[in-house]
Amino acid sequence: MSKIRVLPDSVARKIAAGEVIERPASVVKELIENSLDAGAQRIVVEIAQGGRARIAVTDDGEGIAREDAVVAFQPHATSKIRDDRDLCGISTLGFRGEALPSIAAVADVELWTCQREADVGTHVLLRAGKPVVVEDAGAPAGCRIEVRDLFNGTPARRKFLKAPPTEASHVAQLVGRFALARPEIGFELRQDARAAVTFPPAGRRERIRRVLGAEIEEEMREVELEAPVRVSGFVSHPHVALASPRSILFFINGRLVRDRLLQHALMAAYATLVPRGRYPAAVLLLGVPPEEVDVNVHPMKLEVRFRNGQAVHEAIGRAVRDALRTRAASTEAARVGEGEPVYSPASIAPDRSAAPAARALRLLPAPAVGRSMPLPLEAPGPFSSLRVVGQVFDGYLVCEGEGELWLIDQHAAHERVAFERLRAARQRGRVERQAMLIPQPVEVAAGEAELLTGAADELAACGLEVEPFGDRTLLVRTVPALFPATSIAPLLRALTADLAEVERSHALEARSDALLATIACHSVVRVGQKLGETEMRALLTAMDEIESNSNCPHGRPVARRMTRAELERRFGR
């Protein structure tokens, strides 16, 4: 007897449904996408017992014709595409023709629908994926689909559902994300016959306030870039450092997506602004020509592929960096134009004739007499305007300014200054390097040597010269000045991991910043070094001369402040 046999249609449908319908939120996602494709302006979602007992989605869209109402529940029935050529330019949220039959395969489904100009609507009831009632019915314009007893016929799947409050939270989170993507649409979520969340039409910033919270919304910066890829939305100030990436949301042509390339581009822009393992908040909407993005990657339509991922990555990076920039214009070019020496690590090389703190602060020249000093847009007040009170614990400056008490981490502040100047030097191709007395061989994994040698020119721009030395070995001939030799091998391994993840220029931009951050960290004053008043003032002045001054290159905050009112409140005044 043959061991291989064709599965019954009912079993095959349930297997296919498992790829699309994972939990109640999956049902809600598919139905909301259909409503948006139908031009709905108001969408109401109702759930009972977290969606296990009942899910209903009602919209005021264009509705479904009587002759299409039953066909819509057949596998691969869709109005969005006609042939394989249409797959190359999908502009709708739905298109696969899998959502409704997948839902009907694992639950009882009831449909009420009426087209806007029709005199009568249609009612359809399906059980086990088969229509048992098809009749005329009175119904408002639009569509209402009710799903009952999800996974009731597949108890193995039903037992993996979480408790109703957990499933309800996933639904609420999903509705909020759709509300962020389409702020002009009204959304309402009703849970167990009570109104849980309502999103009337509003601006996107107001939607962010409602979905992500007022504290995050207040810290959001607007993002806007038109070319080569349209990028809009909001990203948070660097001092918003969250424990998880749950508040990072990407939408491609209105579609909520999860994509490693997009995540990498965002985190690369924050690479020297938030601590490792922490995340910003972001709501980013990308407008990409439909023919340039493949959304037919996974049945749940959450994953995408780009024809030109490099352009998308660079657009996100540029848009986010522009939004986070703390100056209206860079002052680095002004310094070079005035004949100031170009900064390199050599300017902080040890000078045995000077005291330790003075040696470390040689990179902090006072501004030239008469030079106008652009002020950082983000700082509550120029650092140089603060009155220095003193230094505590040989590592923190105590300052006063405009009714506020400031504590400044001298190492983090100095590290940021050194990093920004190193980065500017790298961009001009003037990072000083030192030759290894004996070139250092570093063994890498199979395939990694090719990645690194292919990026040799970009690595050299950061002061790191490598060349192949056998099948799996690289020879390191130069490193940036003052870079610790013990960190060379870990650095190369980290570089290859990034290069394997995305295209070369993306990885190197972020990784070279990490390299320069390490150089800066090993080149500046540390906690435990006493500073004189002149050195403290030089550090504060230098902080006003750099573009980004709120965090060290590893993301730690540079300063903490307390208002006089808060100080007096703590003393009961």
Side-chain angles (χ1 to χ4, degrees), residues 110-439:
E110 204 159 3
L111 163 71
W112 292 267
T113 184
C114 184
Q115 293 185 297
R116 288 170 183 158
E117 305 301 326
D119 295 328
V120 65
T122 302
H123 171 228
V124 177
L125 172 62
L126 299 99
R127 289 198 173 98
K130 304 294 184 181
V132 295
V133 174
V134 181
E135 61 185 4
D136 290 342
C143 187
R144 175 181 173 86
I145 295 181
E146 190 166 316
V147 180
R148 290 188 292 272
D149 297 325
L150 185 63
F151 298 132
N152 199 37
T154 52
R157 291 293 304 275
R158 189 174 177 87
K159 73 179 183 180
F160 282 101
L161 294 178
K162 304 299 182 183
T166 301
E167 297 296 347
S169 71
H170 284 284
V171 172
Q173 185 181 72
L174 179 72
V175 172
R177 290 176 174 181
F178 274 111
L180 283 173
R182 300 293 298 273
E184 77 281 7
I185 306 295
F187 292 87
E188 183 178 348
L189 172 61
R190 298 173 184 170
Q191 183 176 341
D192 296 323
R194 62 178 176 81
V197 184
T198 302
F199 297 103
R204 184 162 282 113
R205 185 176 278 279
E206 175 59 27
R207 283 282 170 91
I208 291 174
R209 177 178 287 267
R210 294 287 308 279
V211 175
L212 300 183
E215 291 184 359
I216 289 180
E217 184 273 326
E218 290 171 357
E219 302 294 344
M220 285 297 212
R221 314 282 192 75
E222 188 168 7
V223 175
E224 194 66 48
L225 182 73
E226 290 298 326
V229 175
R230 182 165 54 85
V231 182
S232 61
F234 294 85
V235 294
S236 62
H237 186 282
H239 64 231
V240 175
L242 306 175
S244 79
R246 291 180 58 185
S247 295
I248 296 176
L249 304 174
F250 293 102
F251 300 91
I252 306 293
N253 300 335
R255 181 189 306 279
L256 176 66
V257 300
R258 293 193 302 248
D259 187 87
R260 290 189 299 172
L261 183 140
L262 304 182
Q263 182 97 352
H264 186 279
L266 176 71
M267 296 309 297
Y270 278 92
T272 66
L273 298 173
V274 296
R276 185 178 297 273
R278 309 292 288 186
Y279 302 88
V283 177
L284 291 177
L285 300 98
L286 279 72
V288 183
E291 63 274 13
E292 295 293 321
V293 58
D294 182 5
V295 299
N296 188 31
V297 177
H298 188 274
M300 295 183 71
K301 307 186 296 293
L302 285 172
E303 301 175 16
V304 296
R305 291 195 184 101
F306 299 99
R307 179 171 295 178
N308 189 349
Q310 178 174 346
V312 173
H313 192 288
E314 290 176 352
I316 292 174
R318 187 195 315 168
V320 173
R321 284 191 296 270
D322 286 348
L324 297 178
R325 185 165 290 129
T326 61
R327 283 190 177 281
S330 174
T331 60
E332 194 66 35
R335 286 200 293 273
V336 174
E338 293 167 5
E340 184 172 318
V342 175
Y343 171 75
S344 77
S347 66
I348 50 176
D351 177 356
R352 305 302 179 193
S353 64
R359 290 202 307 266
L361 284 165
R362 289 178 61 181
L363 78 164
L364 302 174
V369 176
R371 184 198 308 174
S372 67
M373 181 67 64
L375 301 180
L377 301 180
E378 273 309 302
F383 281 90
S384 55
S385 70
L386 299 175
R387 184 177 72 85
V388 176
V389 178
Q391 181 187 30
V392 294
F393 305 131
D394 292 340
Y396 302 91
L397 311 188
V398 180
C399 303
E400 175 189 358
E402 296 188 3
E404 293 180 321
L405 173 68
W406 285 70
L407 290 175
I408 299 171
D409 184 328
Q410 67 187 35
H411 175 72
H414 197 185
E415 187 179 1
R416 189 78 215 187
V417 172
F419 169 78
E420 291 291 342
R421 294 182 177 178
L422 272 168
R423 183 158 60 176
R426 181 201 68 201
Q427 291 169 350
R428 294 191 298 270
R430 301 188 187 183
V431 173
E432 188 167 323
R433 65 195 68 193
Q434 60 188 25
M436 305 291 290
L437 184 61
I438 299 176

Side-chain angles (χ1 to χ4, degrees), residues 27 53 55-56 63 92 95 97 201 204 210 227 318 336 348 370 385 408 443 455 498-499 544:
V27 175
I55 301 168
T92 54
F95 62 91
R204 184 162 282 113
R210 294 287 308 279
R318 187 195 315 168
V336 174
I348 50 176
S385 70
I408 299 171
E443 186 174 335
D498 278 355
L499 289 167
D544 280 343

